[in-house]
């Protein structure tokens, strides 16, 4: 059963951002002073995108509770898939509002946080992180970064920030503000310059959802050190002890119970219609005006809502362009089961 989570629907003034981006052509880079961090937090509150140094790599941060901002993040990164994102917190207290942090996971966080260790945990009903950021899953990935700029930005902002690496999908991760400006500059509102990232590779991701805990991605923290600390052997994907998953998939994916029929022009008698664009008779509409960022922001919340109430869902065609590629990828995999 899913806990449906209301997501803030803060409208982004895309038009004015685009105008600004065209004026300057590249995002402003500012030394990460307290004033710049305060300005960055304001930008995030308005649904904007801020590149921020962490000890691993530069992240592209948005408000984790704002699905419009998360959709824009996917658009700017050009990700063809909605992978769940890591939410950055400023310590165990904020983490506990978002997730069930107990037992071995709490022990690991107590010793290795702040630092390059991401914990995958059951999501808490009180959590603010929106469905799109979690790719519809009931679990959530959390990290408390040790870099003072990332830590301070979360603190001044006052809530969790999702921040995948600040590079276009498929390119290598940036470790300086200059790398970010060169690769992604004109899609971002502000780049905070905090020098070179000391670790330089991504965080180690460990899931504490099952037992034993499972290494999902090796990274900046040596998994052997964590194994010694916890006195366990971490399960590895593909092990007998690991949870089953489709080949090539790091995270398990949200799967609806309802049967989905894609590219439907209208609903049949036993179906409800999830619309896109100006269609008649839809029970819910991803974007009546046919906007793909809006559709992405609504996708998981609307699927969950309809899934809990109906057995067959017909879905309007979504154009295979921009964010439509990731939306269609998600829908195809949800329909195939
Ligand atoms: P990135 O932010 O691109 O460095 O990567 C985030 C990674 O965290 C991806 O590989 C995700 O698959 C993984 N991840 C995030 N949330 C979850 C989750 N709830 N369950 C499993 N893996 C997750
Ligand atoms: Mg990356």
């Amino acid at each position: 059963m899913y806990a449906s989570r209301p997501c803030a629907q803060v409208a982004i003034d895309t038009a004015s951002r685009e105008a600004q981006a065209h004026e300057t052509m590249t995002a402003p880079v500012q030394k990460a002073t307290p004033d710049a961090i305060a300005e960055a937090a304001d930008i995030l509150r308005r649904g904007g995108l801020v590149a921020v140094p962490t000890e691993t790599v530069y992240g592209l941060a948005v408000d984790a509770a704002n699905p419009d901002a998360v959709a824009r993040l996917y658009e700017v990164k050009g990700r063809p898939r909605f992978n769940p994102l890591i939410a950055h917190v400023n310590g165990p207290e904020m983490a506990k509002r978002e997730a069930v942090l107990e037992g071995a996971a709490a022990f690991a966080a107590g010793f290795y946080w702040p630092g390059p260790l991401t914990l995958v945990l059951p999501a808490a009903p009180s959590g603010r992180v929106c469905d799109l950021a979690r790719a519809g899953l009931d679990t959530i990935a959390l990290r408390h970064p040790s870099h003072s700029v990332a830590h301070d930005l979360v603190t001044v902002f006052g809530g969790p920030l999702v921040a995948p690496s600040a590079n276009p999908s498929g390119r290598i991760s940036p470790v300086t503000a200059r790398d970010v400006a060169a690769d992604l500059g004109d899609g971002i509102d502000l780049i905070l310059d905090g020098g070179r990232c000391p670790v330089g590779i991504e965080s180690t991701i460990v899931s504490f959802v099952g037992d034993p805990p499972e290494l999902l991605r090796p990274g900046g923290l040596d998994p052997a050190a964590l194994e010694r600390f916890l006195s366990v052997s971490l399960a590895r994907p593909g092990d007998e002890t690991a949870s089953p998953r489709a080949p090539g998939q790091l995270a398990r994916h949200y799967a609806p119970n309802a049967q989905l029929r894609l590219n439907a022009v209208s609903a049949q008698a036993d179906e409800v219609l999830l619309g896109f664009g100006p269609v008649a008779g839809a029970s819910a509409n991803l974007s009546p005006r046919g906007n793909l960022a809006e559709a992405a922001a609504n996708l998981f919340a609307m699927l969950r809502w309809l899934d809990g109430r109906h057995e067959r869902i017909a879905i309007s065609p979504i154009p295979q362009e921009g964010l439509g590629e990731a939306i269609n990828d998600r829908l195809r995999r949800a329909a195939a089961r």
Side-chain angles (χ1 to χ4, degrees):
M1 208 32 230
Y2 313 119
S4 77
R5 200 175 307 261
C7 292
Q9 291 283 350
V10 182
I12 321 169
D13 188 355
T14 319
S16 77
R17 202 205 329 277
E18 274 166 14
Q20 193 192 341
H22 279 286
E23 246 167 58
T24 54
M25 277 322 281
T26 184
V29 180
Q30 282 191 39
K31 197 161 175 289
T33 60
D35 281 353
I37 290 173
E39 184 188 334
D42 274 344
I43 291 172
L44 293 168
R45 279 180 207 112
R46 296 198 297 270
L49 279 65
V50 173
V52 59
T54 79
E55 71 276 25
T56 59
V57 301
Y58 271 74
L60 188 53
V62 302
D63 177 359
N66 180 342
D68 295 307
V70 176
R72 172 117 178 97
L73 173 65
Y74 272 100
E75 202 167 61
V76 166
K77 278 192 60 96
R79 275 202 179 179
R81 283 194 171 180
F82 295 128
N83 290 325
L85 301 172
I86 297 169
H88 294 73
V89 295
N90 67 347
E93 200 182 317
M94 191 183 284
K96 283 180 178 162
R97 283 201 290 273
E98 300 300 327
V100 182
L101 178 59
E102 294 169 347
F107 195 46
F111 190 73
Y112 287 105
W113 277 5
L117 172 65
T118 295
L119 307 177
V120 174
L121 302 165
S126 58
R128 296 172 41 172
V129 175
C130 69
D131 274 316
L132 182 60
R134 289 179 293 109
L137 297 172
D138 291 333
T139 55
I140 184 168
L142 293 180
R143 183 164 97 82
H144 177 195
S146 67
H147 197 294
S148 64
V149 175
H151 171 92
D152 291 354
L153 184 62
V154 173
T155 301
V156 175
F157 175 72
L161 299 173
V162 284
S165 55
N167 54 290
S169 190
R171 303 276 289 275
I172 57 169
S173 298
V175 294
T176 65
R178 184 193 290 233
D179 293 343
V180 180
D183 278 0
L184 268 187
D186 55 1
I188 310 179
D189 298 291
L190 178 64
I191 300 172
L192 289 174
D193 186 351
R196 178 177 289 272
C197 302
V199 176
I201 57 168
E202 276 86 354
S203 60
T204 297
I205 305 179
V206 178
S207 170
F208 285 86
V209 172
D211 192 26
E214 183 177 357
L215 178 67
L216 297 183
R217 176 177 78 186
L221 172 72
D222 179 2
L226 181 63
E227 289 183 310
R228 280 193 301 272
F229 177 72
L230 292 177
S231 306
V232 293
S233 291
L234 298 173
R236 264 65 174 179
D239 283 2
E240 266 170 37
T241 47
S243 44
R245 62 167 53 79
Q249 278 186 312
L250 192 53
R252 282 212 278 168
H253 283 280
Y254 162 71
N257 294 313
Q259 208 167 344
L260 308 189
R261 185 168 64 88
L262 309 186
N263 298 312
V265 178
S266 59
Q268 291 166 0
D270 58 348
E271 293 175 332
V272 290
L273 181 65
L274 176 58
F276 175 83
V279 295
S283 297
N285 197 315
L286 292 168
S287 173
R289 63 195 167 115
N291 178 290
L292 289 165
E294 183 178 37
N298 285 329
L299 179 67
F300 289 103
M302 286 188 177
L303 268 182
R304 275 170 183 260
W305 190 80
L306 290 175
D307 189 26
R309 290 162 183 81
H310 304 280
E311 280 172 14
R312 290 171 185 276
I313 306 170
I315 304 176
S316 297
I318 314 285
Q320 182 71 3
E321 62 193 41
L323 280 175
E325 195 185 342
I327 297 173
N328 282 322
D329 167 73
R330 186 80 282 278
L331 288 174
R332 266 194 306 274
R333 286 186 292 139
R337 43 188 301 279

